[in-house]
Amino acid sequence: MKVKWWGHSSFLIEHNGIKIITDPYDDSLPYQKITDKADYVTVSHGHFDHNAVERLDGDFKVIDSSKGFKNNEIEIEAIKSYHDSHQGEDRGENLIYLIQLEDKKICHLGDLGHDLDNKVINKLKNIDLLLIPVGGNYTIDAEMAYRLAEKINAKLTIPMHFKTDILDFPITGVNKFTDKYAKTEVEFAHKSEINTEKMKNKKVIVLDYN
């Protein structure tokens, strides 16, 4: 499975020719325009830095509701959650996507703003890939992200939604999250795209934006 980080919460996930783009951002963010084409696009919530599907090229299916989506090649379950710790009173709702793509299971937590109960955690346990926000302020912070990641125990975890050298959002950098792991468990890839099959000896991979 190939994973490319475009920036913020937007990834291209590709497995056996099927392509998914998550949470596309608009041109107010400093990251490059997403040029990949996808078969499916997931939107965790209706904010400008996560829902700019109009900026994507190609013919794709948008998944942006709690109905999720299912056909003969992919199953996407949408789990209702909140963008804050006050049941959506501050920033509204958020959708967690649990994606079954052939033999791979992927979770994108979107802009999750609170801890998860055991029922949801059990549903997410032992997945192949966890995409988790770690920057705080608008989402869970590094401490809660670490606790959740440990409970979910994905084969591979990739952090997202953190401060970078070109993003001036009031969120923290990725190191507050990665510092909670042993150095041997984390790899800074220094590139935007990886093949997850080649990362089996690491617990956390940090990608560079494209």
Side-chain angles (χ1 to χ4, degrees):
M1 182 168 61
K2 293 180 181 178
V3 182
K4 180 198 287 188
W5 187 43
W6 277 94
H8 212 42
S9 299
S10 190
F11 293 86
L12 170 73
I13 301 163
E14 182 178 359
H15 184 52
N16 290 343
I18 301 168
K19 297 180 179 181
I20 305 163
I21 289 175
T22 65
D23 279 15
Y25 46 79
D26 73 6
D27 59 4
S28 67
L29 266 67
Y31 300 115
Q32 291 188 46
K33 182 181 184 297
I34 299 167
T35 56
D36 284 315
K37 294 183 179 180
D39 303 296
Y40 306 95
V41 176
T42 62
V43 174
S44 63
H45 62 291
H47 289 173
F48 65 92
D49 50 342
H50 296 265
N51 71 346
V53 295
E54 72 282 351
R55 295 188 77 226
L56 300 178
D57 297 322
D59 183 19
F60 49 84
K61 170 69 178 176
V62 176
I63 296 93
D64 60 0
S65 78
S66 59
K67 295 178 182 178
F69 182 78
K70 183 178 181 179
N71 64 12
N72 60 0
E73 65 181 8
I74 193 170
E75 182 174 357
I76 303 176
E77 181 180 357
I79 302 168
K80 286 185 177 182
S81 60
Y82 299 103
H83 199 324
D84 55 66
S85 58
H86 301 114
Q87 295 191 313
E89 288 183 11
D90 299 333
R91 296 190 180 92
E93 294 186 346
N94 174 74
L95 291 172
I96 295 168
Y97 287 110
L98 183 58
I99 303 166
Q100 183 76 52
L101 184 54
E102 295 188 344
D103 60 330
K104 300 296 182 184
K105 189 170 281 191
I106 304 127
C107 177
H108 187 286
L109 288 177
D111 267 12
L112 180 68
H114 59 92
D115 204 355
L116 294 175
D117 62 32
N118 288 334
K119 182 179 179 181
V120 175
I121 288 170
N122 288 335
K123 186 187 287 281
L124 303 180
K125 272 188 176 179
N126 302 313
I127 55 176
D128 294 284
L129 176 63
L130 175 65
L131 304 170
I132 187 168
V134 302
N137 195 10
Y138 305 116
T139 69
I140 56 174
D141 61 13
E143 178 67 39
M144 187 174 290
Y146 172 73
R147 293 200 306 267
L148 273 178
E150 286 294 281
K151 290 177 184 177
I152 293 169
N153 193 31
K155 291 178 183 175
L156 182 65
T157 296
I158 298 178
M160 62 181 184
H161 209 281
F162 54 84
K163 190 177 181 67
T164 64
D165 60 335
I166 62 171
L167 184 70
D168 63 357
F169 281 20
I171 55 181
T172 62
V174 72
N175 292 83
K176 279 202 167 185
F177 176 70
T178 56
D179 285 351
K180 298 183 181 302
Y181 292 87
K183 289 186 178 180
T184 55
E185 295 178 307
V186 180
E187 181 171 329
F188 287 80
H190 301 298
K191 55 186 178 181
S192 63
E193 185 174 340
I194 58 163
N195 184 333
T196 60
E197 301 306 312
K198 298 179 180 179
M199 301 291 172
K200 291 181 178 178
N201 62 332
K202 297 296 179 181
K203 197 166 188 176
V204 176
I205 302 291
V206 179
L207 298 178
D208 283 347
Y209 56 84
N210 191 57

